Amino acid sequence: MRAALLAALLVGFSGTAQAQQRVGLVRDAEIETIIRTYATPIFEAAGLAPNDVDIHLVNDASLNAFVAGGLNLFLNTGLIQRTSEPGQLIGVIAHETGHIAGGHLVRVRDEMENASIQSVLAAVLGAAAAVASGEGGLGTAIAAGGTSMAMRNFLQYSRAQESAADHAALRFLDQTQWSSQGLVEFLGVLADQELLSSTMQDPYLRSHPITRERVASAREHAVRSPYRDARYPEAFYGYHARMIAKLDGFLNAPTTTLRKYPASDTSLAARYARAIAHYRAADLKQAVPEIDALIAEHPNDPYFHELRGQMLFENGRAAEAVPSYERAAQLRPDSALIRLELSRALIELGDSARFEEAERQLGEVVRLEPQNAGAWRLLGIAYGRNGDIPNASLALAESAMLRGAREEARFQAERARRTLPEGSPQWLRADDLKRAADRRPK
């Protein structure tokens, strides 16, 4: 199963209408880490347990972000790409956190109970299915429906709620001693769109009504705040440049990326973007030297090693990719996604001596991300290649249950029950899965 980071869906995507019409979740270890780093202090300031809030990246070029379906924050890739510095994205995160902390999701949760006729159900739950599957990286997204009028109505906030979320965001930023100027700038961008027709406005404006009073209030706060001139942690600026370069490299056409990041730009972010653009253009003769030069300068950067592994793996060179993935996993042992990519490469080798290592890596993946259906499925394949059919069946049952494939889950769980030692922890888990699959969904 070849679906490593950022590859499959983006073939044929070039920032065209086709790309904008598809909606799905994307995964990327580096970008998820950066956004989590930005968001954690905000969540803490709001009194939320950071690990309780799930952050999802939506593969959509429009400027949008929303919270829905519980403690889930969705950020469009288009919104991230439109930010020029970390404070703007952090301001959006703070605002959306204000909706969570203010209890503005109660109406949404109530409506979700009867939302089968709402197109937002397809959008949000389709995205959730992509999260559960864990398939692929930042390009292996699952289509989850378009942005319709019903979705906009479903996610619509009142002006009072928007104002309350603004005030909460400003308070959270003050508590973290971070400048609120980024939020002011973002609100200004939205305010400028008020003059456009509704069909030309970004979805964020349609679901988050803006007023000049809101902009003025936020600007006044920023001026009065003792942190108005505060800079974010210095590392954030480098993180942000890399994140934008990576999204540009994978989501824009290679020619577009190479125009934006010409060879005369020798910054790390530009070199990163060019390496990705050459890789996506199937020009490994330029891509591999670009990434090798970055690795030579930054030998302990896990994401450069990860990208090198992807370049090689996606071009049928799994044996060469494995050492790069192994180095990335050594440098970021807590990254389930990197371990998952390594596991795919190990299985692709077809070498029975490496299947045991794939099993070990995948065991860590499902420990770190127990809801990752794709990882459970790959673990089942690894067990099967090693001849461990009972545990293969159990892993496949876990995967099927997470995907909502109840008949498949029932079959695999029953198969595991028949072959595992009765009363063992694995047998008990198989029995639980069988019982869960037998129950009718509510």
Side-chain angles (χ1 to χ4, degrees):
M1 181 170 55
R2 181 164 299 179
L5 178 67
L6 296 161
L9 180 66
L10 300 177
V11 176
F13 272 20
S14 58
T16 63
Q18 179 190 17
Q20 295 173 20
Q21 288 168 2
R22 291 181 62 110
V23 179
L25 290 197
V26 294
R27 300 290 312 271
D28 180 80
E30 179 178 17
I31 294 173
E32 288 179 10
T33 298
I34 291 170
I35 294 176
R36 179 66 65 176
T37 300
Y38 288 176
T40 293
I42 298 296
F43 295 156
E44 290 174 342
L48 301 172
N51 290 336
D52 288 347
V53 183
D54 292 322
I55 302 173
H56 310 300
L57 305 180
V58 182
N59 179 43
D60 191 287
S62 62
L63 190 157
N64 202 9
F66 57 94
V67 287
L71 298 178
N72 290 289
L73 169 61
F74 296 85
L75 296 169
N76 278 19
T77 53
L79 181 146
I80 299 170
Q81 287 177 280
R82 292 270 287 276
T83 61
S84 59
E85 52 92 27
Q88 294 174 0
L89 181 55
I90 290 170
V92 174
I93 293 170
H95 178 88
E96 295 303 320
T97 302
H99 284 305
I100 297 175
H104 302 162
L105 297 179
V106 173
R107 175 181 59 82
V108 175
R109 283 196 296 267
D110 290 344
E111 290 191 27
M112 286 192 73
E113 294 178 1
N114 300 296
S116 58
I117 61 172
Q118 301 273 7
S119 62
V120 68
L121 187 65
V124 175
L125 295 188
V131 172
S133 74
E135 294 288 345
L138 179 69
T140 315
I142 296 177
T147 304
S148 68
M149 182 64 72
M151 180 178 180
R152 294 196 296 271
N153 290 341
F154 186 81
L155 296 173
Q156 184 84 25
Y157 293 108
S158 70
R159 296 196 175 203
Q161 288 174 327
E162 283 300 285
S163 180
D166 286 345
H167 287 299
L170 295 167
R171 186 172 68 254
F172 301 153
L173 290 166
D174 279 351
Q175 286 179 239
T176 57
Q177 299 184 13
W178 286 351
S179 172
S180 55
Q181 187 58 38
L183 176 59
V184 173
E185 292 170 3
F186 182 77
L187 291 174
V189 169
L190 294 178
D192 290 341
Q193 289 204 7
E194 280 193 307
L195 300 177
L196 301 177
S197 69
S198 61
T199 57
M200 297 179 64
Q201 292 172 344
D202 275 301
Y204 197 89
L205 180 61
R206 296 194 293 266
S207 61
H208 296 67
I210 191 74
T211 64
R212 294 289 171 179
E213 290 77 12
R214 284 180 58 203
V215 178
S217 177
R219 184 177 292 118
E220 183 181 348
H221 176 95
V223 170
R224 294 197 320 267
S225 172
Y227 312 109
R228 63 183 180 184
D229 297 321
R231 280 179 63 82
Y232 288 86
E234 203 59 36
F236 281 21
Y237 298 92
Y239 295 160
H240 205 79
R242 284 179 59 150
M243 176 168 60
I244 301 301
K246 193 170 196 179
L247 287 169
D248 287 344
F250 278 109
L251 295 173
N252 298 340
T255 52
T256 301
T257 302
L258 293 173
R259 281 197 301 270
K260 180 175 179 180
Y261 301 93
S264 58
D265 185 345
T266 59
S267 67
L268 184 148
R271 294 163 66 193
Y272 201 16
R274 288 197 297 270
I276 296 168
H278 289 310
Y279 152 63
R280 288 197 55 227
D283 185 1
L284 290 194
K285 288 186 178 179
Q286 292 200 67
V288 173
E290 285 266 22
I291 197 64
D292 281 347
L294 287 170
I295 289 172
E297 295 173 21
H298 306 275
N300 294 324
D301 189 304
Y303 307 113
F304 292 158
H305 290 281
E306 179 193 25
L307 178 59
R308 187 178 194 278
Q310 179 186 342
M311 289 178 176
L312 298 169
F313 180 71
E314 289 296 316
N315 283 276
R317 296 160 63 176
E320 297 173 72
V322 165
S324 292
Y325 280 140
E326 287 179 329
R327 181 58 179 152
Q330 289 169 358
L331 292 166
R332 278 303 309 270
D334 59 337
S335 173
L337 287 179
I338 291 176
R339 287 180 180 269
L340 185 60
E341 293 170 57
L342 170 58
S343 302
R344 288 193 178 106
L346 290 168
I347 291 173
E348 182 74 11
L349 291 176
D351 182 352
S352 59
R354 307 306 298 271
F355 292 151
E356 187 173 338
E357 174 61 14
E359 273 186 30
R360 189 182 73 81
Q361 292 292 342
L362 288 164
E364 280 298 296
V365 173
V366 297
R367 183 186 67 80
L368 292 165
E369 292 190 358
Q371 302 301 309
N372 191 323
W376 281 109
R377 180 177 178 275
L378 202 60
L379 180 57
I381 292 172
Y383 278 133
R385 295 282 180 89
N386 271 332
D388 187 348
I389 303 305
N391 278 307
S393 298
L394 179 58
L396 293 173
E398 295 275 11
S399 174
M401 199 66 190
L402 287 167
R403 289 184 283 109
R406 302 174 74 86
E407 288 300 321
E408 181 185 347
R410 182 183 296 109
F411 171 80
Q412 294 291 357
E414 180 56 35
R415 188 182 185 191
R417 285 175 76 253
R418 290 197 307 265
T419 52
L420 288 164
E422 186 169 353
S424 66
Q426 292 89 343
W427 185 93
L428 292 171
R429 179 57 183 163
D431 189 60
D432 287 343
L433 288 168
K434 171 67 164 52
R435 292 174 185 274
D438 284 338
R439 288 196 294 269
R440 286 190 176 186
K442 296 181 179 180

